Amino acid sequence: MKIQIINGPNLNLLGVREPGIYGSESFEAFLPQLQAKYPDVQIDYYQSNIEGELINKMQEVGFKYDGIVLNAGAYTHTSIALHDCIRSLKSPVIEVHISNVHQREEFRHKSMISAACKGVICGFGLDSYRLAIEALLAGK
Ligand code: DQA
């Protein structure tokens, strides 16, 4: 089984960026721990700050991987292009957020991508990514 994790803008700064909201662990430190929990699953990781690059990566893997775990960062709230991309793919996409966006500013309450995704997990810190993988495994 192959799963692609995709992180959007500013998520390269995890561990440094607003640690009160996003925690103090970098994704690079977290990823090997996650991969070690699922030795039989190939978990690949990609991050970009650029909307079109996220779309290129989704199109590249979205017809051959068993699922995509997508934290689109702030593009979640703005990107019709990501919505259209997700709808075009064969692989199921799980939307994840580290923080509970519904407890935060009003502009974070609206997601442009949720309706195109298989499901949404938010508010569990970095564990949101593990929960998304569990959801993909359960859906197999
Ligand atoms: C986020 C929530 C978004 O609103 C924000 O723009 C992010 C991170 C999260 O993981 O909690 O960049 O997706």
Side-chain angles (χ1 to χ4, degrees):
M1 185 156 180
K2 285 189 193 176
I3 293 176
Q4 176 76 52
I5 297 176
I6 300 180
N7 273 345
N10 301 306
L11 291 163
N12 54 315
L13 296 180
L14 279 179
V16 177
R17 169 195 187 197
E18 299 187 271
I21 296 173
Y22 299 114
S24 47
E25 191 170 15
S26 71
F27 205 83
E28 287 67 24
F30 169 71
L31 182 62
Q33 300 168 41
L34 186 65
Q35 287 164 327
K37 284 195 177 106
Y38 301 97
D40 299 332
V41 181
Q42 180 181 322
I43 301 175
D44 294 340
Y45 175 58
Y46 179 78
Q47 189 277 330
S48 176
N49 293 322
I50 299 166
E51 188 175 13
E53 287 186 355
L54 298 172
I55 291 168
N56 284 343
K57 180 49 102 176
M58 304 261 293
Q59 290 185 3
E60 181 193 317
V61 301
F63 295 90
K64 50 187 185 196
Y65 277 52
D66 299 290
I68 297 172
V69 176
L70 173 65
N71 186 345
Y75 291 140
T76 303
H77 315 297
T78 61
S79 180
I80 297 167
L82 271 175
H83 174 108
D84 287 349
C85 173
I86 294 163
R87 289 178 70 110
S88 308
L89 305 177
K90 269 175 83 175
S91 312
V93 179
I94 312 281
E95 174 184 348
V96 304
H97 301 286
I98 296 163
S99 64
N100 182 345
V101 287
H102 301 288
Q103 289 174 343
R104 301 181 62 195
E105 303 96 322
E106 186 121 13
F107 63 83
R108 295 185 205 277
H109 297 182
K110 173 84 187 156
S111 167
M112 299 301 286
I113 64 172
S114 295
C117 289
K118 179 143 194 230
V120 182
I121 295 169
C122 81
F124 296 96
L126 288 174
D127 203 37
S128 293
Y129 292 88
R130 183 189 62 80
L131 293 166
I133 288 170
E134 285 293 332
L136 286 170
L137 292 175
K140 268 280 122 190

